[in-house]
Amino acid sequence: MAPMSSKIPMSRPSLDHIIQKNESQVLESKTQQFCKQYTSLPATEKLEILKELAQKHDFDLESAKNAAESFVSHKDKNIAVQLKAAERLKASLNPSYAQIFSRIRKLEGGVKFLVDLRADLMNMLPNSNINDDSTPHLKALNNYLKDILSFSFNVGFLKLERITWDSSCFMLEKISEYEAVHPVRNWTDIKHRVGPYRRCYVFIHSSMPREPIVVLHTALTNEISSNIMSIVRQTKVQTETDQKFTLPETLEDPRKIQAAIFYSITSTQKGLHGIELGNQLIKKVVREVQAEFPHIKQFSTLSPIPSFREWLLLELRKIKNDNSVILSYFTEREKKEMEQIFNCDMHDVWFSLHQAIISNRWISDEDLKELLRIPLLKICAHYLLKEKRRANVLNSVAHFHLRNGAVLWRLNWAGDTSPRGLDNSCGIMVNYRYYIDETEENSRNYVENYHVAASDEVKDLLAPVFSKSSL
């Protein structure tokens, strides 16, 4: 086979060779060859293939127009004639590339190819260089791929599998590589995360048996956790009979297990973005844990708050124009104390605070850290509950769990003081609690009425503070 190069026109796989409607072994072979060639192409060549696919092999506008006119003209005819006209209209709107995708799905590895193809497309769409006539067609292609993949990855086609230290090294390595929330450091770390008092579950698809589709890490604890370090960092404990430090116990004591904490959920395939699988995985894992430990009643996440610090820094920059929502969450006393800590007047306090947060210097200043605790918790509660995008909460993780029917239950100060935790949310973490009997109603209320279910503890943080002079 000739090497792939944009200088050799014949190296690009031909779509015309596989767009035919008939089925044959020759056509199957050509489809396999197309997939193999496409996979080896550089991104620029892939983009050209996708543009050709989206534009040249979309549905025919003229045929669709004629079918639509025919459908309208038959509106006064009997129902059989109307239905036949509707079928012709429906068929005219079916893109030609539907035949290609249908043929690819039947190939070994074909479903994974389509997942990766959509991932390529999603990587290319935000690129301003393709903001031309092809963009609407590429977006339509993306939507079509999402629809057919949604069917292929319906929860009924997925298998729930628990990962343990006895699972294959290949799968354990995959779990480690895909972990996006709390990176795995080494083999000892992953052994801890699939060991005693831990549960790791994945969704597996029959067409991608060696690929975990979604990964959910769960900790079995005696209470709802407030700090991630107690979960993801293996600690040593001192026994009563021995002054040496030993590793944690290897056998689980069910009496010590009163809560299940979902501390990391990762969708591993970008090509499946927008296809809701994580919520189904959580529901299935809840049932698995309840079957194993019927006495457990507390189900909660310990979640990061990505982008909170970024939003906070933007609000701090707005203060100079007196249009920031965060001003009301600082008392006059707190403002005066910041003047003393930063050794500046109020005019420069907010710039100094901005610099301290952007550099993470504040976390090592105990006085400033304690001073900021209440104001930042209040501001974070505002961010999670009040900042919206199209009536939904702005934060993507909050949106995911609230849509699943969880309750915004508790904010945890210094829940994650790692560099990643500080960069995400100034170290604050949040518990979204799943009350099993209420999740369906909470989910419906959020989706239909945009109502955020929150505990009184979180809602109480929203009360702005006022100085006496402002009353």
Side-chain angles (χ1 to χ4, degrees):
M1 184 184 297
M4 299 298 145
S5 170
S6 58
K7 295 181 181 179
I8 306 176
M10 290 302 292
S11 67
R12 185 194 296 178
S14 173
L15 290 165
D16 293 330
H17 291 165
I18 60 173
I19 198 67
Q20 305 168 41
K21 293 184 178 180
N22 61 300
E23 297 286 345
S24 68
Q25 289 186 342
V26 173
L27 195 54
E28 180 180 339
S29 176
K30 288 182 177 179
T31 304
Q32 287 176 326
Q33 185 179 20
F34 166 82
C35 294
K36 184 177 181 180
Q37 288 181 302
Y38 172 89
T39 301
S40 64
L41 289 175
T44 52
E45 287 289 321
K46 286 182 177 179
L47 176 57
E48 293 306 311
I49 291 289
L50 291 172
K51 281 185 176 182
E52 180 184 351
L53 186 66
Q55 291 180 285
K56 184 178 177 181
H57 299 291
D58 202 347
F59 68 88
D60 184 76
L61 287 172
E62 190 62 29
S63 297
K65 178 183 176 182
N66 293 336
E69 290 174 349
S70 175
F71 175 73
V72 172
S73 68
H74 288 83
K75 65 179 181 179
D76 296 326
K77 301 293 179 65
N78 64 61
I79 189 63
V81 174
Q82 291 182 51
L83 289 176
K84 191 171 182 179
E87 284 297 319
R88 286 196 296 269
L89 175 58
K90 182 179 177 182
S92 72
L93 293 172
N94 201 33
S96 297
Y97 50 65
Q99 302 166 26
I100 299 177
F101 295 150
S102 176
R103 195 169 292 117
I104 289 174
R105 285 171 63 188
K106 297 175 184 178
L107 299 176
E108 182 177 354
V111 173
K112 180 66 166 75
F113 175 85
L114 293 181
V115 172
D116 293 340
L117 182 76
R118 183 169 182 246
D120 290 339
L121 185 56
M122 294 179 70
N123 287 331
M124 296 167 184
L125 275 174
N127 191 333
S128 59
N129 293 332
I130 64 167
N131 190 20
D132 53 29
D133 292 342
S134 68
T135 301
H137 293 279
L138 289 170
K139 288 181 177 179
L141 175 61
N142 177 51
N143 291 334
Y144 186 86
L145 280 168
K146 179 182 176 182
D147 287 343
I148 63 174
L149 288 172
S150 295
F151 176 78
S152 295
F153 286 84
N154 181 287
V155 69
F157 299 137
L158 297 171
K159 175 187 175 185
L160 182 69
E161 183 176 319
R162 180 184 169 188
I163 305 300
T164 70
W165 188 241
D166 293 326
S167 299
S168 69
C169 289
F170 181 85
M171 183 60 74
L172 288 168
E173 190 171 2
K174 282 283 187 180
I175 298 298
S176 302
E177 290 174 355
Y178 282 133
E179 176 55 34
V181 184
H182 306 291
V184 176
R185 297 172 298 168
N186 48 43
W187 280 102
T188 301
D189 196 0
I190 190 63
K191 183 176 183 180
H192 172 60
R193 299 194 195 191
V194 299
Y197 298 101
R198 299 292 182 268
R199 295 294 183 271
C200 177
Y201 286 97
V202 300
F203 265 153
I204 301 291
H205 192 277
S206 58
S207 297
M208 299 165 56
R210 290 166 61 84
E211 284 285 345
I213 307 301
V214 192
V215 184
L216 178 63
H217 287 279
T218 305
L220 304 177
T221 63
N222 62 345
E223 60 182 1
I224 296 179
S225 305
S226 62
N227 188 294
I228 194 61
M229 293 303 137
S230 64
I231 293 177
V232 301
R233 295 291 181 261
Q234 188 168 8
T235 57
K236 294 183 177 181
V237 296
Q238 195 170 25
T239 64
E240 295 179 356
T241 59
D242 193 347
Q243 293 302 308
K244 295 179 181 180
F245 286 97
T246 58
L247 291 175
E249 57 195 288
T250 57
L251 295 177
E252 294 174 344
D253 182 351
R255 294 171 299 179
K256 296 180 180 180
I257 299 174
Q258 300 298 325
I261 311 300
F262 311 126
Y263 66 91
S264 174
I265 184 166
T266 303
S267 295
T268 67
Q269 309 294 315
K270 184 169 184 177
L272 297 179
H273 178 76
I275 300 173
E276 295 186 0
L277 299 174
N279 59 342
Q280 296 296 331
L281 180 56
I282 289 176
K283 291 175 182 177
K284 282 185 172 289
V285 169
V286 166
R287 289 196 287 269
E288 288 289 319
V289 173
Q290 284 184 319
E292 189 176 2
F293 303 100
H295 65 281
I296 290 184
K297 304 299 180 186
Q298 299 180 91
F299 295 91
S300 174
T301 76
L302 181 59
S303 301
I305 312 170
S307 301
F308 168 63
R309 191 186 76 147
E310 180 183 348
W311 173 87
L312 172 63
L313 291 171
L314 178 62
E315 289 299 317
L316 284 170
R317 291 195 291 270
K318 290 180 180 178
I319 286 181
K320 65 180 180 181
N321 298 322
D322 201 31
N323 65 345
S324 173
V325 298
I326 70 175
L327 273 172
S328 62
Y329 294 109
F330 287 89
T331 65
E332 291 301 320
R333 179 187 61 79
E334 289 161 348
K335 294 175 186 177
K336 291 293 183 184
E337 289 186 19
M338 281 195 293
E339 284 184 307
Q340 295 174 3
I341 289 174
F342 292 126
N343 192 26
C344 63
D345 58 27
M346 186 52 60
H347 179 74
D348 295 322
V349 156
W350 304 113
F351 174 77
S352 298
L353 180 58
H354 180 279
Q355 294 303 107
I357 290 177
I358 203 170
S359 65
N360 289 331
R361 291 198 313 269
W362 67 276
I363 197 67
S364 58
D365 185 326
E366 289 301 323
D367 291 337
L368 182 57
K369 178 181 175 182
E370 181 57 27
L371 173 62
L372 291 177
R373 185 172 68 87
I374 297 302
L376 288 190
L377 284 174
K378 287 177 174 289
I379 293 168
C380 189
H382 169 95
Y383 169 73
L384 290 173
L385 283 164
K386 296 297 184 181
E387 293 299 314
K388 303 293 181 70
R389 180 193 292 120
R390 301 192 189 98
N392 293 313
V393 294
L394 178 64
N395 186 265
S396 59
V397 176
H399 174 70
F400 172 79
H401 289 293
L402 293 169
R403 202 169 190 275
N404 290 348
V407 173
L408 180 53
W409 188 67
R410 185 177 67 191
L411 294 180
N412 302 297
W413 179 251
D416 181 4
T417 53
S418 68
R420 179 187 289 257
L422 293 173
D423 289 344
N424 269 336
S425 53
C426 299
I428 302 172
M429 298 195 78
V430 58
N431 298 118
Y432 298 102
R433 188 162 176 183
Y434 283 82
Y435 294 96
I436 305 305
D437 296 336
E438 301 175 11
T439 54
E440 186 175 341
E441 181 181 352
N442 289 341
S443 175
R444 182 168 56 249
N445 213 4
Y446 178 73
V447 171
E448 296 177 0
N449 304 315
Y450 308 108
H451 174 76
V452 176
S455 68
D456 289 341
E457 178 181 337
V458 172
K459 288 188 285 190
D460 287 346
L461 288 170
L462 282 179
V465 295
F466 299 97
S467 63
K468 291 183 179 179
S469 60
S470 65
L471 296 177

